[in-house]
């Protein structure tokens, strides 16, 4: 489960071959004791929960980096190494 970005205490992961459970391109986000899964295509939370402010940050970051995330998703779904993506600033 490679870490692809970190910002404001949020860690963003993308798992290899993680396309069976959710069936769509997504990322995993962790903040303190919270965990959530977000769709790359529409930024919506598909599983879990983060605090409201952190959810908005993750959704903004996904919107900014959608193309890079989709490229990483393709790599990860093929079992290839992903690339780091700039954090939210």
């Amino acid at each position: 489960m490679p870490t692809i970005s970190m910002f404001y205490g949020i860690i963003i992961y993308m798992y290899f071959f993680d396309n069976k459970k959710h069936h769509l391109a997504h990322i995993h986000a962790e903040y303190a004791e919270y965990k959530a899964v977000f769709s790359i295509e529409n930024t919506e939370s598909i599983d879990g929960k983060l605090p409201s402010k952190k959810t908005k940050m993750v959704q903004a970051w996904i919107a900014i980096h959608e193309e890079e995330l989709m490229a990483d998703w393709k790599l990860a779904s093929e079992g290839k190494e992903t690339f780091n993506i700039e954090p939210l600033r």
Side-chain angles (χ1 to χ4, degrees):
M1 116 178 116
T3 300
I4 58 171
S5 196
M6 291 190 298
F7 50 89
Y8 301 101
I10 303 166
I11 303 169
I12 307 292
Y13 300 100
M14 189 174 287
Y15 293 94
F16 291 113
F17 301 116
D18 189 18
N19 58 0
K20 292 174 182 51
K21 181 177 178 187
H22 301 294
H23 304 290
L24 63 131
H26 63 277
I27 53 105
H28 295 253
E30 290 186 14
Y31 173 76
E33 69 274 10
Y34 300 95
K35 294 181 181 184
V37 178
F38 291 88
S39 165
I40 294 172
E41 293 176 0
N42 64 17
T43 77
E44 294 299 316
S45 176
I46 16 179
D47 195 17
K49 186 172 178 135
L50 296 180
S52 177
K53 185 176 178 180
K54 300 301 180 182
T55 294
K56 290 175 186 172
M57 287 180 174
V58 171
Q59 289 173 322
W61 179 80
I62 293 170
I64 292 166
H65 297 286
E66 181 179 2
E67 290 178 3
E68 295 160 282
L69 286 163
M70 289 306 293
D72 261 0
W73 175 259
K74 183 177 183 329
L75 292 170
S77 65
E78 295 171 354
K80 297 178 182 172
E81 186 175 343
T82 58
F83 293 91
N84 290 338
I85 298 175
E86 285 290 316
L88 188 65
R89 299 191 191 277

